[in-house]
Structures are given as C-alpha cells and as structure tokens.
Amino acid sequence: MFKKILIANRGEIAVRVIRACRELGVQAVAVYSEADRDSPHVWLADEAYPIGSAPATESYLRGDRLIEVALRTGCEAIHPGYGFLAERPAFAHAVESAGLVFIGPPGDAMAALGDKTEARRTVKKAGVAVVPGIDWPVADLDLLKKKAEELGYPVLVKAAAGGGGKGMRIVWAAEELAAAFRGAAHEAEFAFGDRRLYVEKYLESPRHIEIQVLADNLGNVIHLGERECSIQRRHQKMIEESPSPALTPDLRDAMGRAAVAAASAAGYHNAGTVEFLFRDGRFYFLEVNARIQVEHPVTEMVTGIDLVQAQLRIASGEPLWIRQEDVRWQGHALECRISGEDPWNNFFPSTGRIEVLRVPGGPGVRWDSGVVQGSEVGLHYDPLLAKLIVHALDRPAAIVRMQRALEELVIQGVATTVPFHLAVMDEPDFRSGNYDIRYVEAHPDLLRRDPGDLARRAAAVAAALLEEAARLRALPLAPPDSDATGREWRRGASLTRPWRGSWTGR
Amino acid sequence: MKYVVDVEGEWFEVEFRPNGVRVDGRPVSVELVEGDVRGAGPNSGILAHLLLDGRSFTIAARRDDARAVWNLELAGRRLTVSAYEARRWALQGQRALAARAAGAAAGPFELTAPMPGLIVDVEVAAGDLVRKGQGLVIMEAMKMENDLRSEVEGIVTAVRVQPGQTVERGELLVVIEPPKEDGGETPENG
C-alpha cells in the first residue's frame, strides 16, 4: 500500500478520499485554490498546499502544479476524484511519466473509453449491444445532418469527449440541428477542450442503469451490481438507488457480464462504471465512466465494499481479493444529491453562505459532504454540496428513512434541492419504482404539493409574528414593553444585536 | 395588534392580545423562536421554530420587501404569505389584490438574469415578434449554457445586453411588450 498520496480535487469527493486514506493508514495531501483555503478537505488532510486562484483553470485543472506538489511532498500516487482532471488521458499519462501512480485506469484505456465513439467500437467487438448511432466523430454539420437523417429523429448530438450531460443536445427535427451542433460544440470545448461530436438515436423514455466494476492490474474483473440513476434533470443525476426496481436477477447477471466484457475489452483497471440504457427488458451500452462516481456510495452500502479503498488497493498493485461469487447484495440504498440549486427557481445555481446546517443522523444514514456551517458557496465549482445516503432492509424502508433524514436536514443561506427530494420521496410513481429518465419532465407539479391545513395555519401565525417582530424592530426608541401588543416580547440586551425573542400566550 | 394574513388565497386573522394569541377568534398557544443568524446574502433569511398548540414547525422565512410578502418554507413546501395590519388592511391588502389581478393581464415581460453569468448569445433584436417559449438569450453559468425563453408572446421593445457581457443576478436583459388586446396589431405569425 502507498504511504502517501495526493488528492487532486476538492469538495465532498476530496473528503471521501481522505477518509479512505485515514482508514488505510495512508497519508493524505490536499490541494486547494484561493477560494477553498477554509474547507473541510483542507482541514482533514495531513498536509495541504495552495495551487492557484479560484477559477479551476488556474488551480484544480493545473496538472503541472498538482504533479509538482506530489513530487515535492513525496507522494507516490495521485487520486483525481471525479470531474476536473479525472478523465483526461493527458493528465494520467503525465502522472505516469513523472514516476507517480495514477489512481484510476491506465491513460491509454482511458483515452480509448473517453472517446465515446472508440468506446462504442471496442465494446461492440466484445459482443455488447450499443445504442444505434455512428461510431466515428464528425466535425462537419452537413455530414452530421446526413447521419441524423439516416438514424431518424429524434437524435442525440453528443460530444465525443463527453460525459455528465455536458456537450449533449436532444434534436427533435432537422431545423434544430444547427443550433444544437453549435451549443454542444461550444459546451464540449469549454468542458473538455475537445469540440468533436457524434450522433446516436435518442431512445425515448429509457431507464439509466449502470454497473459498477472493479478490475485489478492483472486482468481480473468483477462487477458489484447496478445503480439505478433515472431520476435526472437536464442529464444531471439527482437520485440514485441500488438495486434497481426494474431488474430481475437474470437481467442483473446479464448486464453484469456485459459490463465485465466491456471493461476487459478496453483493458480497464481500477474502479469504473459501465452505463447502459434500459428499455423493455433490453439494455444498450452507453459509455464507460473511467473514474469513481458521485453515486458510488449506494453500491458501497448494499455490498459492504469500500470502493475508494478498493481503488487505492488496486492501484498499489494488489490482486482482487473478492471473487465474483463472493459478492453479496444486502438491503436497499438510496442517494439524494444535495446541490446548491434552487428548485423554486428552475434549479438555477444558488450562492451564499451556509448560515445554518443541521445534518441528519440515526440508523442507516450517511452524509458525505464537502461543506459545513459557515461555508461559502460560490459559482466557481460544481453546485454539489453533499450527498445524503440511506440504507435499509428493503426499498420501502429506504424511502421512509430518506424522507425522515431529509426532514431532519436543515440548510439555511443557500437554496438547495432538498424540497425536490422530499417531493420525490412522496410521489406515487417513484414509490412504486415505475419511472424512467423522463420522470422529472413527466412530473412538472412535483413541488406544488398541498402543504395541508396545519402547515397553512402555522405559516399564517409565523408570518404575523415575524411581521410584528419586524415592526417592533423598526421602532428603535420605543421599549418593547411599552407597546400594547409587545408586552411579552423578550428582547436581546442590546438593540444592535440580532433580535431574538419568543411570544408565549394563552 | 391584529393581522389579516393571506396564505396563498386562504385568509386567517391572527390577533396578539396582552392575554394571548387568537387565530380566527380562537385562542391558541404560540411560541416562536427566531434563529440568531441573519446574513446579508441573496439567499439569507430567518430560520425560525414555531410551536403552535404544541405542534412543531421549523420554518425558513425570507421577506420579499419589494412585494411585502414572506416566502416561507416548511416541510419541503413553500408558501407565499402576506401579513397586513388589520387597521391598514383595507387599503394595503385591497391594493395588493388589485395589483395581483391586474398583473396577470397587462404589463411588459421583463427577462432578468436568474443568476450571475456570461451572455453567450442574444437571439432577438428590438422590434422582433416573439412566441411564448421562444429563446431570447443564451447565458452561461456553472459551465452550462442556459436558454432563457420568453414567457409571453409579444414584441421586443428593448435589448439591454450583448454577447460577451457578464451580468449580475436580476439584471434586466430583454423587455417584451405583449400585443394590445383591443387593437388589430397582433400579427398572425412571426
């Protein structure tokens, strides 16, 4: 095992990797941008070094600086987390040629899979079904148009270097293609530095189901079952669960074997995810995510296998210590992504200071977070603040547990997706497990739930009290006791301090 | 002091008397604790805890001073609530109601930036006729491009931004005047 590694990331995933390091007795070196000096990943690491200013291009994307810090501090390996440099073959190669270990797949395998069209060619050869589409990227709009017409609309225009929904557009008719082409290329250039696109048939209403694989450096590959990730908004996953309500044991087995075949064909090492679209009992290869994924905890909860520790063990050269037949799945796990996005305002990014944070706890609840009370949430990085994960004996129990955990969670100062998650947990189609990737579109009134008579009454009383308190605050010279109605308001010692009080009556 | 409270169309009377609180004339026991934290950020507010006849509610509250309403969030639900002092209710409340009723029908549609970001493209020019749902401005924020669309049909009367410009949250981008109801000016198609 390594003695010391560098974590080339921030936020909740950096914290997650540090936790794995601690449990394995590995020293963790963090890096931070100017915006992240006062962050949990910096506090929790054994060492931490600045790598530049707030924009990621000046810090977390500066591969040269990351490698320099790793070498200077005596690290043996670099863990890239997800996002940033995690799936950039050039970075993996640079790490390798600096004499360090990249905790992930070999740069060549990553390059082969990162090019989505090459990935399609590779897995097809291994006998895995892919979504109908072209297997080579095109740079020319007219050619793309021709291919789209051959496939028949709707089609999906995708960045060859894509992932995470960036650089991707659904096109319903020929006249929308030019705008989609431009937008996707621009986004792809910005996100991946590569504007090449390809096109595939847009499958309407599939489920998004992915298989976690673990592959050691000796060619042993196993799978750890599926994650159901169909609750998405604009191609961004919001809720994940394992097992999927849609899979039978036979289908799980077949998908698992296809995933293992795909990973083997690509020469994949370390932890990876093979994504499939699933519809009418059939599954189609979508892509391989050559990294640890945001939603990895649901697999950890049902298998009991620590995936980040597994990444470190594999990268340090250890052969796989689990055989496929030893993998056991127990119970049901759910994850809700708590993002700084305002569900009441079209999920637009929300910024500010987390003024109050009350984290849920109790049986079967896990909180993987990159923020604490007092953290500043800005616009420089991904809006994911934390992940709330629950584990229970079965799906209904997991849903109820998630519901109560979300009710315990209080975040004040930044608008978050918590109300969305609460609404989904209460919604009949989700509860029955009968949903696909169009779930969010198909439930536009999700957030317009009737609060009930009690809550409306409480809201009326609270608003009147708050209005009255505001009115009293606006009377700086009048002692509160002199006001006929404010007789029992208690006020802080100083008028300049924040007001705090209570009204007790009856 | 008596308040007339509008909870999204349902009305309550909340009265504070020296001997207690009444809701719609009936005495209730009430205890509200306001949190200490009161930041100045765009999403700051008050975190309060209310005991109403012993029932427990954690409430996040933000006052929208411009509209004189409270946005309350409790149990994952959001409620827009107006509390009027009863003696002023006749004037304030009626006016607010009238404005709300009128607002639905008339007035220009003003597209404002929903967040800070970079204007990538402006898809319309002054004088253009736009459909409801038509894209007006493409804005980039958080590495994603967002297509900001018109909520009304009408004529573009002002474009306040150009590509390459960075904007703050709430900044006015485009103004659209809905077609007049009575005149024969509404063109059939764009």
Side-chain angles (χ1 to χ4, degrees):
Chain A
M1 181 47 66
F2 307 116
K3 289 198 171 58
K4 193 181 199 181
I5 70 164
L6 180 132
I7 297 140
N9 215 303
R10 64 178 302 282
E12 70 88 17
I13 194 61
V15 171
R16 173 71 189 88
V17 178
I18 293 168
R19 285 175 171 155
C21 288
R22 282 250 180 274
E23 293 177 12
L24 288 170
V26 175
Q27 297 268 300
V29 176
V31 291
Y32 60 92
S33 73
E34 277 170 16
D36 283 341
R37 170 63 189 84
D38 195 21
S39 299
H41 79 281
V42 177
W43 311 333
L44 295 176
D46 293 289
E47 300 171 35
Y49 300 93
I51 46 161
S53 54
T57 48
E58 288 305 313
S59 48
Y60 299 105
L61 289 170
R62 286 294 298 265
D64 53 341
R65 289 187 193 158
L66 295 165
I67 291 169
E68 191 266 317
V69 172
L71 291 172
R72 178 158 51 86
T73 56
C75 288
E76 295 154 86
I78 295 184
H79 194 300
Y82 52 69
F84 296 129
L85 296 169
E87 289 180 277
R88 299 213 180 164
F91 180 66
H93 281 131
V95 171
E96 287 160 16
S97 49
L100 300 165
V101 175
F102 180 79
I103 301 173
D108 293 338
M110 192 194 293
L113 291 166
D115 183 324
K116 305 303 173 198
T117 56
E118 189 176 343
R120 288 170 60 88
R121 299 195 295 274
T122 305
V123 306
K124 257 171 135 174
K125 263 185 243 155
V128 179
V130 302
V131 180
I134 59 173
D135 297 338
W136 298 93
V138 288
D140 175 64
L141 177 59
D142 289 334
L143 187 55
L144 191 79
K145 192 169 257 176
K146 190 165 152 276
K147 295 293 179 189
E149 264 148 32
E150 283 168 23
L151 288 169
Y153 291 97
V155 297
L156 207 49
V157 173
K158 296 174 79 172
K166 299 207 170 91
M168 183 153 90
R169 292 285 190 281
I170 302 167
V171 182
W172 296 94
E175 58 266 26
E176 297 170 6
L177 196 66
F181 184 83
R182 191 193 52 79
H186 181 87
E187 214 169 275
E189 171 108 61
F190 191 88
F192 317 111
D194 178 349
R195 51 190 299 128
R196 292 174 312 138
L197 302 172
Y198 73 107
V199 62
E200 61 185 35
K201 180 78 186 155
Y202 176 62
L203 284 184
E204 287 183 63
S205 311
R207 298 176 82 113
H208 175 123
I209 301 177
E210 60 189 28
I211 303 281
Q212 175 71 50
V213 297
L214 280 182
D216 67 17
N217 298 353
L218 308 170
N220 302 307
V221 187
I222 61 169
H223 75 86
L224 303 182
E226 81 280 14
R227 290 185 290 261
E228 163 76 63
C229 309
S230 299
I231 306 289
Q232 306 186 354
R233 195 184 157 276
R234 299 181 61 172
H235 313 300
Q236 300 286 334
K237 296 167 191 168
M238 303 191 73
I239 298 173
E240 299 95 348
E241 59 181 313
S242 186
S244 164
L247 289 196
T248 60
D250 283 350
L251 272 165
R252 176 171 306 115
D253 193 47
M255 279 177 88
R257 275 187 281 113
V260 167
S264 300
Y268 197 88
H269 299 164
N270 215 285
T273 297
V274 184
E275 295 191 331
F276 294 95
L277 293 180
F278 178 88
R279 202 183 134 166
D280 304 328
R282 298 174 61 123
F283 56 89
Y284 308 88
F285 170 85
L286 192 60
E287 61 185 41
V288 174
N289 295 132
R291 58 166 193 267
I292 189 75
Q293 285 198 281
V294 174
E295 60 271 28
H296 75 273
V298 294
T299 300
E300 295 185 322
M301 304 307 271
V302 293
T303 61
I305 295 169
D306 185 313
L307 287 169
V308 181
Q309 287 192 20
Q311 285 192 291
L312 267 68
R313 291 173 69 175
I314 289 170
S316 71
E318 205 175 312
L320 266 188
W321 52 97
I322 322 149
R323 288 172 306 169
Q324 186 66 61
E325 56 269 31
D326 296 332
V327 177
R328 293 278 179 278
W329 291 274
Q330 197 184 28
H332 198 97
L334 275 170
E335 174 182 277
C336 289
R337 297 190 186 194
I338 313 300
S339 286
E341 294 171 309
D342 186 355
W344 309 108
N345 181 23
N346 208 23
F347 291 89
F348 278 122
S350 173
T351 58
R353 184 168 170 273
I354 297 180
E355 290 153 355
V356 179
L357 177 60
R358 295 180 194 155
V359 173
V365 175
R366 170 173 167 182
W367 175 253
D368 278 25
S369 167
V371 295
V372 295
Q373 187 161 307
S375 291
E376 287 287 343
V377 179
L379 285 170
H380 287 294
Y381 313 111
D382 191 275
L384 182 69
L385 305 176
K387 303 177 312 202
L388 179 57
I389 306 114
V390 300
H391 187 219
L393 277 179
D394 56 25
R395 191 170 186 272
I399 292 172
V400 172
R401 180 160 282 172
M402 180 59 87
Q403 216 162 8
R404 76 101 177 133
L406 286 164
E407 282 163 4
E408 287 178 29
L409 175 59
V410 174
I411 304 177
Q412 172 82 5
V414 176
T416 73
T417 48
V418 169
F420 168 84
H421 293 305
L422 271 168
V424 174
M425 293 303 132
D426 218 12
E427 192 283 319
D429 288 338
F430 179 78
R431 292 185 87 107
S432 71
N434 178 25
Y435 64 85
D436 58 50
I437 61 167
R438 289 188 53 229
Y439 177 83
V440 174
E441 286 167 61
H443 296 87
D445 292 333
L446 211 47
L447 284 160
R448 274 174 233 139
R449 294 185 296 158
D450 180 11
D453 291 340
L454 262 175
R456 266 194 292 273
R457 222 167 122 80
V461 172
L465 278 162
L466 291 165
E467 194 71 37
E468 176 71 352
R471 190 181 69 84
L472 290 176
R473 263 198 300 275
L475 302 172
L477 294 177
D481 287 355
S482 75
D483 185 281
T485 65
R487 204 166 64 98
E488 294 178 39
W489 286 107
R490 291 192 300 274
R491 223 168 172 184
S494 157
L495 283 170
T496 58
R497 277 186 38 207
W499 185 89
R500 184 189 174 89
S502 67
W503 214 109
T504 311
R506 176 151 228 174
Chain B
M1 180 69 73
K2 189 162 154 190
Y3 285 87
V4 177
V5 188
D6 171 9
V7 182
E8 300 190 341
E10 194 173 334
W11 296 88
F12 295 86
E13 265 187 28
V14 182
E15 190 175 2
F16 304 117
R17 293 187 184 179
N19 62 348
V21 181
R22 284 163 189 264
V23 176
D24 292 338
R26 281 195 318 228
V28 292
S29 93
V30 166
E31 189 166 313
L32 181 101
V33 180
E34 266 188 77
D36 267 339
V37 187
R38 189 172 296 229
N43 298 295
S44 294
I46 298 164
L47 185 64
H49 184 257
L50 175 70
L51 287 171
L52 176 57
D53 282 335
R55 296 288 296 243
S56 161
F57 299 91
T58 297
I59 301 175
R62 263 163 66 191
R63 193 170 198 278
D64 182 342
D65 290 329
R67 293 167 58 217
V69 298
W70 286 92
N71 291 314
L72 303 183
E73 212 174 298
L74 58 167
R77 272 82 157 180
R78 170 172 285 193
L79 286 160
T80 307
V81 182
S82 306
Y84 306 97
E85 285 179 34
R87 61 181 182 214
R88 297 192 195 152
W89 148 243
L91 191 64
Q92 283 182 338
Q94 309 289 7
R95 193 186 296 156
L97 270 190
R100 203 180 302 168
F109 167 69
E110 297 188 339
L111 178 72
T112 55
M115 64 199 141
L118 173 76
I119 302 299
V120 177
D121 198 8
V122 178
E123 298 167 287
V124 292
D128 284 2
L129 179 73
V130 294
R131 285 170 285 116
K132 185 176 174 180
Q134 184 175 337
L136 302 175
V137 172
I138 296 176
M139 199 175 145
E140 188 176 286
M142 308 294 287
K143 302 177 213 162
M144 296 283 285
E145 287 196 0
N146 298 283
D147 203 356
L148 306 181
R149 294 168 183 280
S150 178
E151 287 172 18
V152 299
E153 181 190 63
I155 290 161
V156 178
T157 53
V159 176
R160 298 286 175 84
V161 287
Q162 53 197 32
Q165 189 177 337
T166 54
V167 292
E168 292 303 314
R169 174 188 164 116
E171 203 167 318
L172 184 62
L173 309 177
V174 175
V175 180
I176 292 164
E177 206 71 57
K180 302 274 181 291
E181 293 288 329
D182 41 19
E185 299 164 42
T186 315
E188 286 302 307
N189 281 303

